[in-house]
Structure formats: C-alpha cells, structure tokens
Amino acid sequence: MSSLHRLLAALALVAAAAVLPAQDKPPAADDGFRPLFNGKDLSGWVNVNCHPGTFFVKDGAIVTTGKPTGFLRTDRQYENFVLEMDWMHTNTKDVGNSGLFVWGDPLPAVGTGYTRGIEVQVLVNLESKDKMGRVTATSHGDLFSIWGATCVPDRPHPSGSQRCLPSEERVKGGGEWNHYKVTANDGAIKLEVNGKEVSGVSKC
C-alpha cells in the first residue's frame, strides 16, 4: 500500500477535494467531495513558514499577501484526488505568481521557502521565452517539478525541462476569477483550466 502525500496550497482559493475510490473511478456527481475550506477561517490548514498575517480569510476566500514567501498545507494527506478551486490575482498589470503544490513534503526544501513537489502554476501577466524565442513558461496552467521532485510532461518542453506547457491559453487576466480542476491519480496529474484540460504530467 502506498503512503499518502500532502496536498499543499499557497493562493487565494475556494476548494473542494475528493479521494478517488480504490477502483480509480471518479466520485459520483452528487457525493464524494470534501470541502477543504469552510469559507470562514483557516481551520484545516497549517501555516508552514509564513507570518501569521500572510494568509487570511476575507469575503469567503483565502487571501495571501505573498510576503514572506511560504505556503499553507492541508492538515490531512491525500494521494489520489480531484481538487477544484477558483483563484484570482488582484494584479492587473504586474506579474502575480503563486501555485498549488501537489504531493509535496510538509516542510520546505532546504534553502527555499517552497516544498519539494509538483507545482500547478497559478500565474498572470508573464510569458518567458528563451534566446531562440521559444516559449518556456506561461500564465496558462503549466505543470512542473520543483525542488528535487521529478515528473514526465505529457508534451516535451522546448528546453527538455520537466515542465508541461498548456495546449492553449485559457487563464483570464488579473482581477478575474479562474477555475482549475486538478486530477491527481497514481503519479499522474491532469489540469483543466476554465473547463478544458490543457496540461498533464506523469511518473511524478
């Protein structure tokens, strides 16, 4: 029996999760989901390495100032699950950078404020290109390994890195809400952005 791993989040979100049954069948539409956020306070979440005011609840959402760098984690462990969340960066012009860490360690990796895990990018107002003009990172739902974790992207990255670039641009800009559906099952992660699957990794 494989051990469970923590699902980590560091963003403004409203989320629900479900543990997939042993037969790897998705939960029925009318049951199986367990709310991760009660809309009132941070019950069920652990502040790992931030100031007490870095994450707080306002108007029914978890909000983060982003300072200092760090993360929240759930107080329970999940291995195979479906997670749905809505997120928004208030930045309309500047880069807004955050992420959902999947299958991460409960403590930060040495030398960083982040955990080892697979990151589901939560980003706006950024597109990076290499010297050859190839896109290397986007604001539209990249999936990638961080701080010692490994994965295999569904589509090869231009530079060969362990990062899956999304198949199309579906994330709305700063000041607008986005919906993510993350399905994590037996070492594979699929990401749907605003209703359509765009990214995936496996062998995590």
Side-chain angles (χ1 to χ4, degrees):
M1 180 182 294
S2 58
S3 61
L4 296 177
H5 301 274
R6 289 204 181 275
L7 174 77
L8 307 171
L11 61 155
L13 59 82
V14 178
V19 177
L20 293 178
Q23 296 83 9
D24 294 332
K25 294 178 182 176
D30 61 346
D31 66 1
F33 277 84
R34 173 186 178 273
L36 293 178
F37 174 51
N38 64 19
K40 300 174 182 177
D41 57 37
L42 294 176
S43 298
W45 294 87
V46 178
N47 184 333
V48 176
N49 55 345
C50 292
H51 183 275
T54 301
F55 293 92
F56 57 94
V57 176
K58 181 179 180 182
D59 298 330
I62 298 175
V63 180
T64 179
T65 64
K67 298 177 182 179
T69 296
F71 60 92
L72 292 179
R73 66 170 172 79
T74 53
D75 64 359
R76 295 178 61 184
Q77 296 179 320
Y78 302 91
E79 184 173 20
N80 293 338
F81 60 87
V82 175
L83 179 142
E84 295 195 46
M85 67 181 190
D86 295 293
W87 63 266
M88 175 179 64
H89 282 286
T90 57
N91 319 42
T92 56
K93 295 181 181 178
D94 296 332
V95 172
N97 188 5
S98 193
L100 171 76
F101 303 148
V102 176
W103 294 325
D105 296 327
L107 296 174
V110 175
T112 177
Y114 302 114
T115 183
R116 175 183 62 170
I118 306 301
E119 181 167 351
V120 179
Q121 185 70 81
V122 176
L123 182 70
V124 291
N125 303 326
L126 177 70
E127 180 178 89
S128 296
K129 295 184 179 181
D130 63 15
K131 294 179 181 179
M132 298 175 64
R134 299 176 299 186
V135 174
T136 57
T138 81
S139 295
H140 294 279
D142 297 19
L143 298 177
F144 53 97
S145 58
I146 59 172
W147 295 102
T150 60
C151 67
V152 175
D154 285 1
R155 290 177 295 281
H157 190 273
S159 71
S161 71
Q162 295 180 12
R163 185 183 197 108
C164 183
L165 299 176
S167 57
E168 63 182 80
E169 298 182 357
R170 296 186 59 82
V171 168
K172 301 172 187 176
E176 297 185 81
W177 285 98
N178 293 277
H179 185 80
Y180 273 9
K181 180 177 180 181
V182 179
T183 302
N185 194 24
D186 293 341
I189 301 172
K190 302 295 184 183
L191 172 64
E192 294 179 26
V193 175
N194 294 321
K196 184 175 182 180
E197 184 178 308
V198 298
S199 308
V201 292
S202 61
K203 299 181 181 179
C204 299

